Amino acid sequence: MHASTRRTAVRLRTLKPWNSRTTLPAATSWAISCAPAAPPYPHQVGLPDDGRPRRVPGLRREELAQLGHVSIDYIVRLEQGRTRRVSRPVLDALADALQLAPDERAYLFTVADVTPGAPTPRPGRQQVDPQLQQLLSTMHDIPAMILNRRMDVLAWNRGAAALLTDFSALAPAERNLIRLTFLDDAYRALYADWPRAARECVAVLRMEAGRHPKDQALAALIGELSLRDPDFRTWWAAHRVRGPRRLTKTYLHPVAGSITLDVQQFSVDTQPDQQLVAYTAPPDSPSEEALRFLLQWAARPDQANDSPATQDDHHRK
């Protein structure tokens, strides 16, 4: 862990949040050592600065203990994983002291509330309700798809295939947006700012890993990307987290050229782990014209169709 991201002058033991052994010590160690890249200093949190040089940016143990209304020994026990229970007021005080962003605070509380248990079985591919599949098919002017929490593409329409890739040409196990972002050269080339998009993917994945530490398929995806892509390893180690928010992405499309789209995300009430993702262009913009051209091109008989809704496709690996 790079010194600039550490919260105190101590190197802390940190457990990966997607590991089934993840517990409160991992959460507090993450918060102390790996939250925002600009850690607070005493004057920013209402404490006097004694003027002593700091070996690393941020608060010292005793300052963090003072803000959290706990002892220095208690902070040490948290760092070393020797404290199994922490009250919500203490976690709130630590989050306030470290000036965690809303996503980071949510991640801290989510991981801290996880208790060890037997790993859950690896799930099969989720099914998309026929009515939702029909909705996708009727969205002729909007590229759209259904994702699960791991960013697996469960269903898509003709526009999404034209915009991103022909998902029907991929095995179901390979239809994952994060996997494609890091491991598929053609998909990577679509992004005008690939590093930014890729870092966002990693931050979303880490947030989901904190929420679902026993998801074996999620752990397998993280493991594969860690082994195969050095950028993923670097950004995963940075411990950034991000929840759902409004996104705008610019693509360099081989047919439509440069196209900037708003990414809309909608939850699916009947399937809590699924979301409908739609791509729209600002009205009367060059991107709206480019998107219209792309969708007209995609409507040609020789182009990719909507996602198949057969049982065999959903279960084929």
Side-chain angles (χ1 to χ4, degrees):
M1 186 180 302
H2 194 275
S4 65
T5 64
R6 299 210 307 261
R7 283 303 210 199
T8 68
V10 228
R11 184 176 296 273
L12 304 176
R13 178 178 66 87
T14 308
L15 298 179
K16 296 180 178 64
W18 47 269
N19 189 293
S20 62
R21 296 188 298 275
T22 295
T23 55
L24 179 59
T28 51
S29 290
W30 168 83
I32 294 171
S33 63
C34 299
Y41 285 87
H43 71 275
Q44 295 174 298
V45 290
L47 294 179
D49 192 337
D50 59 16
R52 288 182 296 158
R54 295 174 186 268
R55 290 183 293 172
V56 295
L59 300 172
R60 296 190 177 99
R61 277 194 185 113
E62 58 267 27
E63 294 163 341
L64 186 59
Q66 181 178 346
L67 291 167
H69 306 291
V70 296
S71 67
I72 298 175
D73 179 66
Y74 189 79
I75 294 294
V76 173
R77 294 202 308 271
L78 283 177
E79 294 169 357
Q80 297 175 350
R82 294 189 286 118
T83 297
R84 311 305 297 179
R85 295 183 182 278
V86 176
S87 68
R88 292 188 69 88
V90 169
L91 282 180
D92 269 324
L94 292 175
D96 289 341
L98 297 170
Q99 298 184 351
L100 299 187
D103 285 344
E104 293 163 337
R105 182 184 289 266
Y107 179 78
L108 169 64
F109 278 93
T110 298
V111 178
D113 287 341
V114 172
T115 55
T120 54
R122 181 186 295 268
R125 288 190 63 82
Q126 298 178 27
Q127 299 298 299
V128 175
D129 290 341
Q131 296 85 350
L132 197 55
Q133 182 77 58
Q134 177 63 24
L135 174 63
L136 286 180
S137 299
T138 60
M139 298 172 70
H140 304 297
D141 299 329
I142 301 175
M145 55 190 169
I146 305 298
L147 305 178
N148 63 13
R149 64 171 179 253
R150 293 182 296 274
M151 305 291 280
D152 293 326
V153 181
L154 306 179
W156 62 93
N157 64 8
R158 187 189 301 264
L163 175 65
L164 300 175
T165 191
D166 182 4
F167 295 107
S168 66
L170 302 174
E174 296 177 353
R175 296 172 190 163
N176 178 278
L177 294 189
I178 298 180
R179 190 179 190 280
L180 289 168
T181 297
F182 282 94
L183 302 183
D184 187 283
D185 290 339
Y187 194 91
R188 178 189 292 230
L190 283 173
Y191 288 108
D193 188 351
W194 179 83
R196 177 184 177 185
R199 284 193 296 267
E200 287 177 348
C201 286
V202 175
V204 170
L205 194 63
R206 183 169 278 284
M207 177 68 87
E208 291 303 318
R211 290 171 174 162
H212 305 280
K214 294 180 285 186
D215 187 328
Q216 294 182 349
L218 185 59
L221 174 63
I222 294 167
E224 178 188 14
L225 294 175
S226 297
L227 288 173
R228 297 183 60 181
D229 191 276
D231 288 320
F232 182 89
R233 288 195 298 273
T234 298
W235 293 328
W236 183 260
H239 290 254
R240 299 280 78 82
V241 293
R242 186 182 71 74
R245 65 183 62 178
R246 183 179 301 170
L247 294 174
T248 299
K249 295 187 177 182
T250 298
Y251 298 97
L252 302 178
H253 199 277
V255 172
S258 178
I259 181 170
T260 299
L261 300 174
D262 296 319
V263 185
Q264 315 288 344
Q265 302 170 75
F266 306 93
S267 60
V268 178
D269 289 343
T270 56
Q271 297 287 347
D273 281 343
Q274 295 180 11
Q275 59 177 323
L276 169 65
V277 178
Y279 298 81
T280 60
D284 302 319
S285 66
S287 290
E288 184 182 46
E289 183 178 349
L291 179 59
R292 185 181 302 114
F293 173 79
L294 176 63
L295 296 175
Q296 290 172 351
W297 173 83
R300 293 162 45 192
D302 58 332
Q303 298 307 314
N305 296 319
D306 298 338
S307 57
T310 65
Q311 291 290 106
D312 288 344
D313 178 77
H314 280 298
H315 288 285
R316 188 171 62 250
K317 297 296 182 183

